């Protein structure tokens, strides 16, 4: 258990690996699906521009998200990306003893610390496959944050394991930003209404390539949604983002997302099989998200060498619970993966394992 904001850079994100990079570098650092947004979604967003003179009206998008999860609209809040939701939770709820389960996306802890909270960490261990142990979470925690599937480990925790964290007087925040990249979403808690204190966050930016548009949503009890909404500024989600939200939860879009998730699972298996050929590389083989976490000696030097060979990867040492031996790789198509594996072979040889 740790409470200090140590050397980990909680504000570091994968896009930093691409700044000042040579043109044509292959992006394995950011977990946004390539080839997105699709043309039909671009057209929907472009079509919304005719309405920019009016203030945004989120009712239709909110209703569409509610219908997608079979929930009343009072349990849905649209946000400027899932990241805004972390800020709202940190500022709007009467939190006194927050706990963040790491390694995971660092914005929840950063938002809590920025709001003045003393954050405790539960660190999952590589030796345990980064699996969640509910007993490791302090009983007095009144807010617990966990990702599923977790960034950067790509571990998909059983829903039944996560719900063991729920109790009266506790807010249980589950970041499901990558759940729509898991075929069938088997461990999803979005749509559940019988888990006390449950708050589920979803993002539409990863699967649909909308990181620059900022759109996500919160699913929670009506009282929690109302408290978060009061903390939002007026018109927090733009008209184009609302159009995207409505489009991305349509039946046709959900079908397309599922097909993409199935393809990603196939390509992830190919990547893991290729990585298994390197004695120097250890992988988190239980990966279920659109990225994998790998470990090797001198990972920083390997990452730097890969950059010169045209591949940007995500450093792992900014995630609490990890150190400089870890890298995260986004799953890409087979041809890209094959070229990356060749580059990795060259980088390992140059660095000396």
């Amino acid at each position: 258990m740790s409470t200090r904001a140590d050397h980990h850079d909680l504000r570091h994100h994968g896009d930093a690996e691409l700044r000042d990079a040579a043109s044509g570098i292959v992006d394995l650092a950011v977990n946004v699906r390539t080839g997105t947004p699709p043309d039909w979604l671009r057209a929907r967003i472009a079509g919304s521009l005719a309405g920019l003179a009016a203030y945004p009206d989120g009712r239709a998008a909110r209703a569409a998200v509610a219908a997608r999860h079979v929930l009343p609209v009072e349990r849905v809040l649209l946000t400027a990306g899932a990241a805004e939701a972390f800020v709202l939770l940190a500022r709007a709820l009467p939190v006194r003893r927050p706990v963040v389960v790491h390694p995971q996306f660092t914005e929840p802890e950063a938002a809590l610390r920025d709001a003045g909270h003393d954050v405790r960490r539960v660190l999952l261990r590589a030796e345990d496959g980064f699996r969640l142990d509910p007993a490791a979470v302090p009983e007095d925690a009144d807010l617990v944050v966990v990702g599923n599937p977790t960034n950067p480990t790509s571990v998909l925790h059983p829903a039944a394991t996560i719900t063991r964290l729920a109790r009266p007087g506790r807010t249980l925040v589950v970041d499901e930003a990558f759940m729509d990249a898991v075929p069938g979403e088997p461990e999803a808690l979005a749509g559940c209404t019988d888990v006390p204190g449950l708050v589920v966050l979803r993002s539409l930016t990863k699967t649909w390539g909308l990181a620059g548009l900022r759109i996500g949503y919160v699913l929670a009890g009506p009282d929690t949604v109302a408290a978060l909404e009061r903390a939002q500024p007026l018109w927090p989600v733009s008209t184009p983002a609302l159009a995207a939200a409505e489009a991305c939860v349509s039946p046709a879009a959900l079908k397309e997302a599922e097909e993409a998730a199935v393809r990603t699972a196939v390509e992830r298996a190919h990547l893991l099989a290729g990585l298994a050929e390197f004695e120097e590389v250890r992988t988190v083989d239980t990966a279920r998200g659109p990225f994998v976490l790998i470990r090797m000696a001198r990972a920083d030097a390997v990452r730097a060498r890969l950059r010169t060979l045209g591949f940007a990867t995500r450093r792992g040492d900014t995630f609490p619970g990890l150190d400089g031996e870890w890298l995260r790789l986004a799953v890409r198509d087979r041809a890209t993966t094959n070229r990356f594996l060749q580059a990795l072979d060259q980088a390992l040889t140059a660095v000396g394992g």
Side-chain angles (χ1 to χ4, degrees):
M1 178 68 61
S2 170
T3 60
R4 60 193 179 92
D6 54 22
H7 64 280
H8 296 92
D9 180 2
L10 301 181
R11 294 297 189 189
H12 183 89
H13 300 296
D15 60 330
E17 312 288 351
L18 301 171
R19 293 172 192 156
D20 303 319
S23 61
I25 194 167
V26 177
D27 175 15
L28 303 184
V30 178
N31 294 324
V32 173
R33 183 164 63 100
T34 57
T36 54
D39 289 342
W40 64 264
L41 182 53
R42 292 175 187 269
R44 285 287 295 271
I45 295 170
S48 72
L49 300 182
L52 290 185
Y55 286 95
D57 183 349
R59 289 177 295 177
R62 190 177 186 183
V65 170
R68 182 258 193 269
H69 294 287
V70 196
L71 292 170
V73 294
E74 293 80 12
R75 298 184 71 96
V76 175
L77 181 68
L78 302 175
T79 58
E84 187 206 6
F86 294 126
V87 174
L88 297 176
L89 288 163
R91 295 180 179 178
L93 300 186
V95 178
R96 302 185 67 181
R97 295 175 297 278
V99 168
V100 178
V101 179
H102 286 288
Q104 79 151 356
F105 185 50
T106 53
E107 280 297 327
E109 179 171 328
L112 286 162
R113 291 190 182 279
D114 287 348
H117 298 292
D118 184 16
V119 181
R120 290 179 290 177
R121 296 172 177 172
V122 169
L123 302 179
L124 305 184
R125 301 180 344 132
E127 296 79 11
D128 301 326
F130 295 110
R131 294 179 179 86
L132 174 65
D133 177 9
V137 175
E139 191 63 32
D140 67 346
D142 59 359
L143 182 142
V144 178
V145 185
V146 61
N148 204 35
T150 304
N151 172 21
T153 66
S154 204
V155 171
L156 182 67
H157 305 294
T161 300
I162 291 179
T163 57
R164 285 173 54 195
L165 292 171
R167 22 200 120 326
R170 172 184 288 177
T171 299
L172 174 58
V173 181
V174 184
D175 177 8
E176 292 189 351
F178 293 99
M179 188 63 79
D180 61 352
V182 180
E185 302 188 9
E187 306 300 338
L189 289 170
C192 291
T193 59
D194 58 351
V195 178
L198 178 65
V199 176
V200 175
L201 309 184
R202 285 283 180 117
S203 170
L204 296 172
T205 65
K206 308 299 191 295
T207 288
W208 298 109
L210 299 175
L213 195 61
R214 311 310 307 141
I215 179 63
Y217 54 88
V218 177
L219 306 174
D223 290 346
T224 299
V225 166
L228 299 180
E229 190 170 19
R230 285 193 295 271
Q232 279 186 312
L234 293 174
W235 309 289
V237 181
S238 69
T239 295
L242 292 171
E246 188 174 357
C248 290
V249 296
S250 68
L254 295 179
K255 181 175 182 292
E256 182 175 327
E258 175 69 11
E259 291 170 349
V262 170
R263 289 194 301 272
T264 296
V266 173
E267 300 298 352
R268 183 182 60 242
H270 178 70
L271 173 60
L272 288 171
L275 291 169
E277 297 297 318
F278 296 94
E279 292 183 0
E280 308 95 325
V281 178
R282 285 162 286 174
T283 62
V284 180
D285 292 330
T286 55
R288 296 289 299 277
F291 46 90
V292 300
L293 186 65
I294 65 174
R295 188 177 195 176
M296 70 191 78
R298 302 189 64 192
D300 281 348
V302 173
R303 179 172 63 90
R305 188 70 176 182
L306 284 168
R307 189 180 177 91
T308 67
L309 295 171
F311 291 89
T313 58
R314 172 61 159 91
R315 58 189 285 198
D317 62 345
T318 64
F319 293 100
L322 302 182
D323 57 25
E325 293 188 342
W326 297 90
L327 297 177
R328 191 191 68 196
L329 310 173
V331 174
R332 300 301 188 216
D333 63 272
R334 185 154 306 199
T336 300
T337 293
N338 289 343
R339 288 190 288 114
F340 166 73
L341 293 171
Q342 292 174 353
L344 178 60
D345 190 20
Q346 295 177 45
L348 288 168
T349 299
V351 169

